[in-house]
Amino acid sequence: MQLFVNIKDYLIIYILIMSLAVIFTGQYRCFDKTSKNIKDFLLIPNNAKVFVYCETYRSKQDLKQDLVRKWGGGVIGDCGVYKERPLEFHTIYKNLVATKPAIQPSKFARVGFGQSYLWNSGSILEYYQYMKAFELLSAYEKTNVVKFDII
């Protein structure tokens, strides 16, 4: 009887039974170019579930059909889309700009670009998209009585 297990064997066994979720956010623009590599080198080898929240002209149904066609139905956890920034985002943005000292107009005077950078760049929007994708993931966990080990 062997008392010690090879750590490599243990890790392989753990990887085979762990539950992995992958969150994709941003814009749809590069998906067609990268979807095959994402499937072949990330999703399939890791038996991952995908949660997508992105800015696109497509409807949620069209995006989900595209994801299923490219990655297979078993990989897709859920997805959400928007064409224009949602009212919820506007409310969060206005609250942050009104209450956070580090992002007041006077702070931007010394860097050469204005406070509008926060609206036009991805920083606040990126975290908003992460939040929305995580809400999709959490709903999936609750509905399917599963917990992901790695996100």
Side-chain angles (χ1 to χ4, degrees):
M1 182 169 149
Q2 183 180 3
L3 294 176
F4 298 99
V5 176
N6 181 334
I7 191 69
K8 183 179 175 186
D9 293 337
Y10 175 77
L11 288 173
I12 290 170
I13 290 168
Y14 181 74
I15 288 170
L16 291 174
I17 62 171
M18 71 180 177
S19 182
L20 176 75
V22 179
I23 291 176
F24 289 99
T25 64
Q27 293 182 338
Y28 181 88
R29 64 181 175 236
C30 294
F31 176 72
D32 293 326
K33 295 177 185 176
T34 60
S35 65
K36 183 177 179 345
N37 286 334
I38 291 169
K39 176 185 175 186
D40 293 346
F41 299 110
L42 177 62
L43 305 179
I44 301 303
N46 293 294
N47 194 27
K49 284 284 183 198
V50 175
F51 298 88
V52 178
Y53 190 81
C54 71
E55 181 178 350
T56 180
Y57 63 90
R58 298 165 172 249
S59 69
K60 176 180 177 173
Q61 181 181 357
D62 288 345
L63 177 62
K64 197 165 196 174
Q65 287 174 348
D66 199 23
L67 294 172
V68 168
R69 185 172 43 80
K70 291 180 179 175
W71 289 342
V75 173
I76 311 306
D78 201 0
C79 67
V81 301
Y82 65 95
K83 293 177 187 172
E84 295 180 12
R85 295 182 183 168
L87 181 58
E88 179 185 41
F89 175 78
H90 286 257
T91 303
I92 292 169
Y93 177 83
K94 287 176 185 175
N95 183 50
L96 289 171
V97 168
T99 62
K100 301 300 176 190
I103 58 175
Q104 295 309 305
S106 61
K107 301 295 182 187
F108 287 91
R110 62 181 182 222
V111 293
F113 50 87
Q115 191 181 38
S116 63
Y117 168 80
L118 297 172
W119 179 265
N120 297 323
S121 76
S123 54
I124 295 173
L125 182 61
E126 180 179 357
Y127 287 107
Y128 173 77
Q129 291 172 341
Y130 288 147
M131 177 186 77
K132 298 307 284 182
F134 190 77
E135 286 174 2
L136 295 172
L137 183 148
S138 297
Y140 180 91
E141 285 181 325
K142 185 176 182 180
T143 301
N144 294 282
V145 192
V146 63
K147 278 287 190 194
F148 291 102
D149 298 309
I150 299 174
I151 301 170

